[in-house]
């Protein structure tokens, strides 16, 4: 029961994060916003991390066998380490892209679409992370907990992106978009 709950949470998060990736990539392309692109990259890495979590939960739920007399539970610890490495790489990429955008000074188009996507992302990420934290506590799954905390961190960065897009929309100060992207990168790295 416990492993099936962790497996179910991983499946749900896989579907939800895939939806958010597609949504953010489309809107990042539509708006030209580097901060939304940063969120899309972060969500794509979340998708990869969720996939790793799902397979780790499936493998760790296997009973002990001749080759693994203590079971397969250590796979979840490895999944948590992989997720940390992915987060570090995402942060570095966002920092690079934001600095490049500051130098180039590209405009943000259709900021309203970006604001709407960030609002959807915030709500969905809040609901998903809270659900996954409950499942992680009930199943004692380290991989599900790491994934839940990773998704919870997206709420803060999406809120920063939303705030930045609102300011850009009302003031026209385009430099704020890459500055917010840098802040997102710091949240990703934290």
């Amino acid at each position: 029961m416990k492993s099936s709950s962790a497996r179910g949470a991983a499946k749900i998060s896989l579907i939800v994060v895939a939806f958010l990736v597609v949504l953010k990539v489309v809107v990042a392309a539509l708006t030209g916003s580097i901060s939304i692109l940063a969120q899309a990259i972060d969500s794509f890495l979340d998708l990869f991390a969720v996939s790793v979590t799902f397979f780790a939960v499936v493998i760790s739920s296997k009973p002990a066998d001749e080759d693994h007399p203590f079971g397969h539970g250590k796979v979840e610890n490895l999944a948590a380490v992989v997720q940390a490495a992915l987060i570090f790489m995402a942060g570095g990429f966002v920092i690079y892209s934001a600095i490049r955008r500051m130098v180039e000074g590209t405009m943000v188009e259709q900021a309203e679409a970006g604001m709407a996507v960030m609002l959807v992302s915030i709500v969905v990420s809040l609901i998903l992370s809270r659900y996954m934290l409950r499942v992680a506590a009930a199943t004692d799954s380290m991989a599900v907990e790491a994934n839940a905390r990773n998704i919870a961190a997206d709420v803060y960065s999406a809120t920063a992106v939303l705030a930045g897009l609102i300011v850009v929309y009302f003031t026209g100060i385009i430099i704020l978009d890459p500055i917010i992207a840098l802040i997102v990168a710091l949240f990703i790295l934290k």
Side-chain angles (χ1 to χ4, degrees):
M1 172 80 173
K2 284 185 176 186
S3 63
S4 66
S5 296
R7 194 175 318 164
K11 277 184 187 178
I12 289 170
S13 65
L14 191 62
I15 293 165
V16 170
V17 172
F19 166 74
L20 289 175
V21 168
V22 170
L23 189 61
K24 289 175 186 178
V25 166
V26 168
V27 174
L30 180 69
T31 63
S33 169
I34 190 70
S35 59
I36 296 174
L37 179 62
Q39 271 285 298
I41 290 166
D42 185 34
S43 292
F44 178 75
L45 290 173
D46 290 345
L47 181 62
F48 184 77
V50 168
S51 300
V52 168
T53 299
F54 176 73
F55 290 111
V57 167
V58 169
I59 291 169
S60 70
S61 67
K62 291 181 180 180
D65 57 27
E66 192 174 296
D67 293 330
H68 305 92
F70 298 106
H72 298 82
K74 296 282 186 200
V75 171
E76 287 198 41
N77 296 345
L78 181 60
V81 170
V82 169
Q83 288 182 37
L86 289 173
I87 291 167
F88 183 75
M89 289 187 306
F93 179 78
V94 171
I95 289 169
Y96 167 77
S97 299
I99 291 171
R100 220 176 101 209
R101 182 60 59 97
M102 285 177 171
V103 172
E104 294 171 1
T106 307
M107 291 293 295
V108 174
E109 303 291 328
Q110 301 182 26
E112 302 92 344
M115 290 183 278
V117 165
M118 288 300 98
L119 193 56
V120 168
S121 178
I122 290 165
V123 171
V124 169
S125 295
L126 272 172
I127 293 168
L128 181 60
S129 65
R130 288 183 181 182
Y131 165 72
M132 292 184 72
L133 282 171
R134 284 193 310 271
V135 172
T139 61
D140 198 30
S141 172
M142 199 172 175
V144 172
E145 181 181 352
N147 196 267
R149 295 199 183 285
N150 187 10
I151 291 169
D154 289 350
V155 172
Y156 299 111
S157 59
T159 301
V161 171
L162 175 61
L165 289 171
I166 290 169
V167 172
V168 168
Y169 179 76
F170 285 109
T171 67
I173 303 172
I174 60 170
I175 192 79
L176 289 176
D177 186 53
I179 290 171
I180 296 296
L182 285 172
I183 293 168
V184 170
L186 294 176
F187 274 116
I188 291 170
L189 291 174
K190 184 177 183 295

